[in-house]
Amino acid sequence: MKKEIETKICSCCGKELKLNKFIKNRRLCKVGFRKEYKTSYQSVCKDCRNEKRQNTLKEKGMSLYDIGKLVQIRREYKKINLNRFLKQTEAKLEYLDRHERFVKLLYYDNTWISNYGRPVIKKEDGTYEFVKGKRNKITQEIEYSLRKNIYIKTKKAWGTSRSVSVQVLFL
């Protein structure tokens, strides 16, 4: 009969600790024609592992505030570029609401979309107009055809595809 080991020595601090102080690993092993799970434990205890992790975070320059094991990281958010907004005086469009804003879509040629889901394109003569869409009868979504900027590998240059279907959920 196999005797169960109840303690293990940590390779970092050298203390003899109970097995619940170590992280358990289970892996599937093939024994003959059947498969069994083998259980093993890591060589470093949980306390030493956490201490090493905190030290590496401090070395990497993360701003840590150690208040009772609580770690906080300072986040920085990207500021909105005001050049991406379409000005109401320039567009001369009828807005649904005073809070409606049009933002330029990335990867689409002269296309803006509002926070209400209404797309606008800039025509060659410099005027703006709303894009007319078609309702999908099955999904009840409105589909628009827009010109998308794509990279053409054979020409090694950027170009536009003729029509791309963009779906906006109808509310």
Side-chain angles (χ1 to χ4, degrees):
M1 192 184 268
K2 219 180 209 184
K3 187 178 179 183
E4 291 289 324
I5 300 171
E6 296 179 8
T7 61
K8 187 172 180 167
I9 297 174
C10 176
S11 64
C12 185
C13 63
K15 296 178 185 174
E16 187 173 352
L17 302 169
K18 292 185 178 180
L19 289 179
N20 63 355
K21 296 286 186 179
F22 295 90
I23 295 175
K24 185 188 254 187
N25 297 326
R26 287 187 77 199
R27 58 192 164 108
L28 196 61
C29 295
K30 193 173 181 181
V31 179
F33 292 107
R34 59 193 160 99
K35 293 180 180 177
E36 289 181 358
Y37 281 101
K38 279 195 171 181
T39 305
S40 63
Y41 294 90
Q42 287 190 356
S43 62
V44 179
C45 67
K46 291 178 185 178
D47 295 332
C48 293
R49 188 171 184 268
N50 289 338
E51 196 173 309
K52 279 184 181 180
R53 186 174 179 276
Q54 286 181 354
N55 290 337
T56 55
L57 286 175
K58 285 179 185 176
E59 288 172 8
K60 287 183 179 179
M62 312 263 316
S63 57
L64 298 174
Y65 304 100
D66 196 16
I67 304 170
K69 301 278 183 179
L70 177 67
V71 177
Q72 296 177 354
I73 299 172
R74 183 177 294 159
R75 297 178 188 261
E76 293 182 16
Y77 295 97
K78 189 175 180 181
K79 293 181 181 178
I80 298 172
N81 187 354
L82 297 176
N83 294 332
R84 289 189 56 208
F85 286 107
L86 183 63
K87 296 176 183 161
Q88 189 172 6
T89 55
E90 181 185 338
K92 298 177 184 173
L93 298 169
E94 289 186 33
Y95 283 45
L96 290 177
D97 188 3
R98 67 184 179 106
H99 299 292
E100 185 174 28
R101 301 285 184 264
F102 288 91
V103 180
K104 184 157 179 58
L105 280 175
L106 297 175
Y107 309 117
Y108 288 91
D109 192 31
N110 293 327
T111 307
W112 287 261
I113 193 162
S114 77
N115 50 344
Y116 294 109
R118 301 188 322 155
V120 171
I121 58 169
K122 184 177 182 180
K123 294 166 58 175
E124 291 178 6
D125 61 351
T127 59
Y128 294 87
E129 72 174 16
F130 290 103
V131 180
K132 295 179 182 176
K134 297 178 184 176
R135 183 182 309 276
N136 189 331
K137 293 179 182 176
I138 298 169
T139 60
Q140 294 300 314
E141 293 178 340
I142 300 175
E143 297 178 350
Y144 298 96
S145 293
L146 303 173
R147 295 179 61 122
K148 185 174 182 178
N149 294 328
I150 57 169
Y151 185 74
I152 304 166
K153 291 181 182 178
T154 56
K155 294 182 180 179
K156 295 184 180 179
W158 285 90
T160 57
S161 63
R162 291 205 171 102
S163 66
V164 175
S165 178
V166 176
Q167 297 178 347
V168 177
L169 184 63
F170 177 71
L171 300 174

